[in-house]
Amino acid sequence: MNGPQENKRTMFGVVIGHCNNNQFIWGAYPPFVDAFDRFTAIYNNIDSYAQVQTLQSQGVTEDKQNSKQLLTDKAVKLCGIVGAWASKNNNQTVKKALDYKASTLIKKRDTLFLDTINNIYNQVKPLLPNLVSYNITSTELDDLSSLKKKKKE
């Protein structure tokens, strides 16, 4: 739940508590009893959904963040090595295209993050024959690709 939703849920809980403490005032009035019962049922549904929402996202969010961090580390290392090759060979286009910092990548939203990883992969793949002396092989790119697939899941 977001902040405003949580505030409303708290307010509804306070109203239910207040009504329960003062039931002697309204307990003999059937329309209010009916409305209060429906309100309480709706509140209980909201409360159960809020608990489910909290439980589901805890582990998933942590796993997602860990996979994003692994992918970022791999991509930044690859960009640094290929950037060094580009500097040595005066290839400013590649150097500029792969100028990514970990802090920049990790802040990107998931879809934009994966698009950036695809761009890195596509920039490096045609350069593989030139990168052998820098210990960049197809295995490095395959690792990046497999981490990207895990991140998508």
Side-chain angles (χ1 to χ4, degrees), residues 83-135:
W85 172 86
S87 289
K88 182 180 178 191
N89 292 288
N90 202 23
N91 190 334
Q92 296 302 317
T93 306
V94 170
K95 185 178 176 184
K96 188 173 182 176
L98 297 176
D99 187 24
Y100 291 105
K101 306 285 183 261
S103 59
T104 306
L105 279 177
I106 204 79
K107 290 177 187 175
K108 291 183 182 284
R109 292 184 175 260
D110 286 346
T111 51
L112 188 56
F113 176 77
L114 291 173
D115 289 344
T116 304
I117 297 300
N118 279 335
N119 288 340
I120 292 169
Y121 181 90
N122 292 335
Q123 286 285 329
V124 173
K125 188 171 179 146
L127 301 173
L128 278 178
N130 302 327
L131 298 170
V132 173
S133 62
Y134 287 80
N135 293 326

Side-chain angles (χ1 to χ4, degrees), residues 26-88:
W26 57 268
Y29 188 59
F32 192 88
V33 171
D34 182 50
F36 182 72
D37 289 343
R38 286 184 282 131
F39 177 71
T40 304
I42 290 170
Y43 174 78
N44 289 336
N45 284 340
I46 292 170
D47 198 43
S48 66
Y49 285 130
Q51 292 171 9
V52 167
Q53 193 176 40
T54 301
L55 290 175
Q56 287 179 338
S57 66
Q58 286 176 343
V60 173
T61 303
E62 190 174 309
D63 290 345
K64 191 175 172 184
Q65 191 61 34
N66 287 341
S67 68
K68 189 173 186 178
Q69 185 64 54
L70 284 171
L71 195 50
T72 298
D73 293 344
K74 188 77 166 169
V76 168
K77 179 182 173 189
L78 194 60
C79 287
I81 294 170
V82 176
W85 172 86
S87 289
K88 182 180 178 191

